Amino acid sequence: MNDMRLTERAVDTNQLKITARDVQVFYGDNHAIKDVTVDIQDKTVTAFIGPSGCGKSTFLRCLNRMNDTIDICRVEGKILLDDEDIYDKRVDPVQLRAKVGMVFQKPNPFPKSIYDNVAYGPKIHGLARSKTELDEIVETSLRRAALWDEVKDRLTAPGTGLSGGQQQRLCIARAVATSPEVLLMDEPCSALDPIATAQVEELIDDLRSRFSVVIVTHSMQQAARVSQKTAFFHLGNLVEFDDTTKIFTNPEDPRTESYITGRIG
Amino acid sequence: MSDATANSTPATPSASSLFKQDDRVKRRNAAEKRFKAYGLTAIGVGVTMLIILVSSVLSQGLSSFRQTFVTLPITVTQAEFEAAEASMLKTGKYKKLIQRGLEQRLATAELGDVVSIKDAMGLLSGQAPADLRMAALANQTWPLRQEFRFLANGRVDGYFKGRVTMEIAERDSRISPEQLELSQQLADAGIMETRFNRGFLTRTDGSPTRPEAAGLGVAFLGSLYMMMVVLALALPIGVATSIYLEELAPKNRWTDLIEVNISNLAAVPSIVFGILGLAIFINFAGLPQSAPLVGGLVLTLMTLPTIIIATRASLKSVPPSIRDAALGLGASKMQTVFHHVLPLAAPGILTGTIIGLAQALGETAPLLLIGMVALVQNYPSAPPAGLEDPATALPVQVYIWTTRSDPAFVERASGAIIVLLAFLLIMNIAAILLRRRFERRW
Ligand SMILES: Nc1ncnc2c1ncn2[C@@H]1O[C@H](COP(=O)(O)OP(=O)(O)OP(=O)(O)O)[C@@H](O)[C@H]1O
Ligand SMILES: [Mg+2]
């Protein structure tokens, strides 16, 4: 049954995964996201770009309701995941977050062992029936995050003892381990060296075959390399959302153009 | 003109040597040195006070762990035992038996003719017959034949500890200089000696006229029971409250109000909790007076705010990114708290709990109000039933002893303080060890 669904998905690549309609986000009186309407396709990498403070993280956090944890934050509008409103009263955010995983802007490993960091998600969601299965999940997740070779000999060492970039990859491994349907990544490569960045980009490309990935990035090159769709945010507005090639070669909005050229040139 | 512009733009650094401190640096260094000096002075004063306190307590109290004993050969036949138990004045009969042993011992020491047996009996504690009776009651095989170590009278004990002198004995109705000389003779003959006194830790409190027989047993058990009650109630309630307020409760006016109230409760004088306990637990709920259960409940009320404040502070200090990480993985709030937040907050919670317990351990005033100040001559039984038996507590025992007129109680009060401090020290060490085990960095 699972397989059937997979093949079904593979055929229909343009199927919408997340549909956001007129989303507004307020932090108290601060109107941080204004009227954002965006469609995120399944098995696609969507990049959010824009200047610092424009609301990329805020919008990303709406997609798995992490904003619920901020008391002053208020979200309006509609966000549908597979045609179900995630802000519906019947939705348990805990269940939603199992489907929509997240890698945060700052690496935040648990102060536990590397193994426990990765194994935690599968454990609480009951994804492994045995210790060997769990070991397998941990290994594949760490491999996909390009961290396995560096940590395979010290899985019991604390995750907080890793370097910043390693911690970030650990967090990626941790998010991947729960096999989410959508993976939200907030600047996952900001602390990584070029080699690790390339590995993570490879991972993102690989993940695309099964999940849809939303990535926030400040690197235009990265957005251009890994994403199929790009959304440009400016001062809380979604200025332009289109195919990545179009955004980077022929943007419609002058703001997009000046941002991209300003950054690149 | 050109000079002025040159002065106002310090962008070009003047050629100064790194080996020479400039004025600003000098001033800052001086301020730092001054501050260090203040700190050292404060610490010095504190440490001096502590040393004075501890040394005065130790010098006055250590002697209470030693006591003067008289060792006598005692023989009790079953017939004598039954006769004694059948008589009205039981201790009188046992006193006779002790006198027989004393005569015997004096004879072997060739002191029999020198001293009056009445004077010699006066050297023994009034507690001696009762002690012998306890031994006889517990005895199985007759006749009971044993070397017995009886407590010496408090005055005699004071003589060997240097508290009682000949001049004092002159004016004292309960001891005479001749008796002191006699006790010196007995000591020389090896019949009387000052040795470690386990009874100080295990005996019940004695009557005000028998300081030598007073011990901390009941107070120690009472304090222990109360600590058990406080720990069993205050820790779970306090931690649960803090978790609810910190992690689950909406932040609104009501929770603000509760927070303010908890902070205020921490500052309420402890005697108020005593009055509350008297009204609620004893008068309303009908729990027995003087019981460690009631004491524990009152101290729980008193300790809760401390534990809650400490626990909330340590929950707050857990970085929010850890919570985000767990929630982002799809952990529920409870899972987040119990798997990630609580382990990180554990050291702080432990510290708060130990501070609360230490406070509760040293608390006297509320216990006086709920009647834990009585002279309790029976040990409370084992918990949980024993929680309702009358008992005292260590600080209350200190208080009781300091109010008694016999100077021998000064030594015992100081001794009780030493035990109390040792109790505290053990608790703190336990806390430090536990904290070491829990402590993790992130
Ligand atoms: N927890 C919060 N409480 C209040 N305001 C917030 C909070 N988080 C973000 N904001 C505000 O929302 C706006 C958007 O912030 P956001 O973090 O989404 O920016 P961003 O695009 O991710 O920036 P960056 O690229 O620097 O990460 C900012 O004006 C910020 O001040
Ligand atoms: Mg951001």
Side-chain angles (χ1 to χ4, degrees):
Chain A
M1 194 195 148
N2 217 4
D3 286 347
M4 259 177 65
R5 234 178 49 202
L6 272 179
T7 44
E8 225 175 61
R9 269 202 225 156
V11 175
D12 185 11
T13 13
N14 277 344
Q15 191 191 329
L16 291 185
K17 190 70 186 172
I18 296 176
T19 326
R21 290 285 168 272
D22 299 326
V23 175
Q24 323 274 348
V25 181
F26 302 87
Y27 288 111
D29 293 334
N30 178 8
H31 197 166
I33 291 286
K34 297 159 193 158
D35 277 327
V36 170
T37 294
V38 77
D39 289 323
I40 291 166
Q41 289 171 358
D42 204 4
K43 295 178 195 152
T44 311
V45 178
T46 308
F48 289 177
I49 59 172
S52 189
C54 67
K56 306 177 297 291
S57 298
T58 302
F59 186 68
L60 200 68
R61 290 164 62 90
C62 291
L63 300 181
N64 68 345
R65 291 185 59 173
M66 278 306 286
N67 281 335
D68 290 14
T69 59
I70 301 171
D71 281 323
I72 54 166
C73 183
R74 206 171 77 243
V75 180
E76 286 173 10
K78 247 189 168 49
I79 299 177
L80 307 180
L81 175 74
D82 292 330
D83 289 328
E84 289 172 336
D85 187 355
I86 63 170
Y87 279 90
D88 192 282
K89 274 203 295 293
R90 287 166 296 178
V91 172
D92 187 345
V94 169
Q95 217 169 326
L96 170 72
R97 290 181 202 132
K99 283 188 174 193
V100 184
M102 182 155 194
V103 176
F104 292 84
Q105 191 164 352
K106 279 183 236 143
N108 54 355
F110 299 126
K112 295 179 190 285
S113 73
I114 294 171
Y115 182 94
D116 287 341
N117 261 284
V118 182
Y120 183 69
K123 259 189 213 158
I124 58 172
H125 295 305
L127 297 184
R129 263 156 302 168
S130 64
K131 178 85 174 76
T132 30
E133 246 180 70
L134 194 60
D135 289 348
E136 220 165 278
I137 294 178
V138 170
E139 180 174 343
T140 38
S141 307
L142 284 170
R143 275 188 194 286
R144 304 179 94 185
L147 190 60
W148 176 253
D149 291 332
E150 283 157 71
V151 301
K152 62 169 181 268
D153 300 323
R154 46 170 176 153
L155 288 176
T156 51
T160 38
L162 296 173
S163 79
Q166 288 173 325
Q167 288 186 13
Q168 188 60 295
R169 277 177 285 156
L170 179 63
C171 293
I172 294 173
R174 187 174 65 186
V176 171
T178 53
S179 333
E181 294 172 21
V182 179
L183 187 61
L184 311 175
M185 302 175 111
D186 199 345
E187 295 183 37
C189 300
S190 56
L192 301 189
D193 63 45
I195 298 167
T197 304
Q199 284 167 326
V200 170
E201 284 176 5
E202 217 167 279
L203 162 75
I204 292 171
D205 206 51
D206 173 45
L207 292 176
R208 185 163 68 96
S209 61
R210 293 186 293 150
F211 326 129
S212 105
V213 179
V214 183
I215 173 171
V216 172
T217 176
H218 279 297
S219 154
M220 296 307 115
Q221 294 96 320
Q222 184 171 52
R225 278 195 302 266
V226 298
S227 70
Q228 286 77 53
K229 293 272 187 179
T230 298
F232 172 61
F233 286 80
H234 185 65
L235 298 175
N237 294 301
L238 177 65
V239 175
E240 197 166 347
F241 177 55
D242 215 325
D243 289 338
T244 301
T245 38
K246 172 123 195 317
I247 295 265
F248 280 95
T249 53
N250 189 14
E252 246 150 52
D253 199 287
R255 285 172 291 178
T256 317
E257 184 166 15
S258 61
Y259 180 71
I260 291 171
T261 49
R263 272 306 175 102
I264 295 172
Chain B
M1 270 316 232
S2 61
D3 275 347
T5 37
N7 281 342
S8 64
T9 48
T12 43
S14 60
S16 71
S17 164
L18 270 181
F19 296 130
K20 204 175 137 283
Q21 292 188 346
D22 68 26
D23 285 347
R24 287 182 62 84
V25 171
K26 258 187 211 146
R27 240 177 299 140
R28 282 185 299 191
N29 287 349
E32 193 174 314
K33 276 214 189 80
R34 269 202 307 281
F35 191 79
K36 261 191 198 160
Y38 297 150
L40 281 175
T41 320
I43 290 176
V45 171
V47 168
T48 317
M49 290 301 174
L50 187 71
I51 289 174
I52 291 173
L53 174 81
V54 170
S55 57
S56 95
V57 166
L58 286 182
S59 68
Q60 286 191 36
L62 273 183
S63 56
S64 58
F65 292 93
R66 297 172 62 74
Q67 197 74 36
T68 308
F69 291 94
V70 183
T71 315
L72 299 178
I74 294 294
T75 318
V76 185
T77 65
Q78 191 162 14
E80 282 167 339
F81 167 67
E82 277 158 9
E85 284 304 308
S87 76
M88 285 285 279
L89 209 70
K90 298 186 183 70
T91 44
K93 295 278 187 225
Y94 286 107
K95 199 171 174 184
K96 287 270 176 334
L97 296 172
I98 295 175
Q99 188 168 338
R100 193 170 70 197
L102 181 60
E103 279 164 359
Q104 204 179 323
R105 179 51 45 98
L106 288 177
T108 44
E110 292 172 351
L111 288 166
D113 327 314
V114 196
V115 298
S116 90
I117 190 68
K118 189 160 169 296
D119 274 1
M121 275 307 281
L123 299 181
L124 287 176
S125 162
Q127 192 67 26
D131 285 349
L132 177 59
R133 174 163 183 252
M134 292 315 288
L137 283 175
N139 187 44
Q140 302 287 336
T141 51
W142 299 101
L144 172 65
R145 197 188 302 276
Q146 206 179 317
E147 285 283 300
F148 254 97
R149 202 175 284 134
F150 291 108
L151 284 167
N153 186 322
R155 300 291 145 86
V156 175
D157 181 54
Y159 172 68
F160 286 110
K161 287 175 183 168
R163 189 174 59 237
V164 176
T165 58
M166 293 297 176
E167 295 84 69
I168 293 175
E170 201 82 63
R171 285 176 271 120
D172 195 329
S173 63
R174 286 174 41 204
I175 197 89
S176 65
E178 293 74 45
Q179 279 179 307
L180 290 186
E181 270 161 30
L182 170 58
S183 49
Q184 189 60 56
Q185 281 174 313
L186 291 183
D188 293 342
I191 301 172
M192 195 179 261
E193 58 174 340
T194 307
R195 61 199 322 283
F196 176 70
N197 175 23
R198 205 164 40 120
F200 180 61
L201 295 174
T202 56
R203 279 174 178 275
T204 64
D205 187 12
S207 81
T209 53
R210 287 178 197 163
E212 67 276 7
L216 283 170
V218 174
F220 194 85
L221 281 180
S223 276
L224 193 68
Y225 287 6
M226 285 196 299
M227 287 306 106
M228 291 192 318
V229 173
V230 173
L231 193 64
L233 291 177
L235 185 61
I237 296 178
V239 172
T241 310
S242 317
I243 289 178
Y244 176 74
L245 286 176
E246 205 52 51
E247 307 282 337
L248 305 174
K251 302 270 175 294
N252 57 26
R253 224 177 310 153
W254 290 110
T255 42
D256 282 352
L257 192 72
I258 291 173
E259 178 159 6
V260 170
N261 271 308
I262 289 173
S263 310
N264 282 340
L265 274 184
V268 167
S270 57
I271 195 150
V272 176
F273 287 104
I275 297 171
L276 185 76
L278 179 65
I280 293 182
F281 299 127
I282 296 180
N283 292 344
F284 178 72
L287 290 172
Q289 284 197 10
S290 314
L293 176 64
V294 179
L297 287 171
V298 169
L299 294 180
T300 300
L301 290 182
M302 211 196 76
T303 316
L304 265 178
T306 314
I307 294 187
I308 292 176
I309 290 172
T311 306
R312 289 189 68 177
S314 53
L315 287 176
K316 266 201 193 102
S317 72
V318 174
S321 64
I322 300 290
R323 286 183 190 105
D324 281 352
L327 290 173
L329 278 178
S332 68
K333 267 190 178 167
M334 277 280 107
Q335 286 173 324
T336 305
V337 170
F338 283 100
H339 295 168
H340 302 290
V341 178
L342 216 47
L344 288 179
I349 296 175
L350 257 168
T351 313
T353 308
I354 295 290
I355 291 175
L357 278 186
Q359 221 180 358
L361 182 66
E363 201 52 70
T364 324
L367 302 183
L368 300 183
L369 278 180
I370 58 160
M372 292 194 79
V373 70
L375 173 62
V376 181
Q377 295 274 33
N378 293 313
Y379 296 103
S381 50
L387 293 180
E388 296 201 23
D389 292 344
T392 55
L394 286 172
V396 177
Q397 199 65 64
V398 173
Y399 169 78
I400 295 175
W401 284 347
T402 47
T403 55
R404 289 194 181 155
S405 55
D406 194 321
F409 279 111
V410 174
E411 161 201 282
R412 296 201 113 61
S414 298
I417 292 172
I418 293 174
V419 173
L420 188 60
L421 290 180
F423 209 142
L424 278 176
L425 208 64
I426 291 171
M427 269 165 53
N428 279 331
I429 289 172
I432 291 170
L433 291 180
L434 281 173
R435 207 162 60 198
R436 284 255 177 84
R437 280 206 54 189
F438 279 118
E439 205 143 58
R440 273 174 246 180
R441 261 173 293 148
W442 58 81

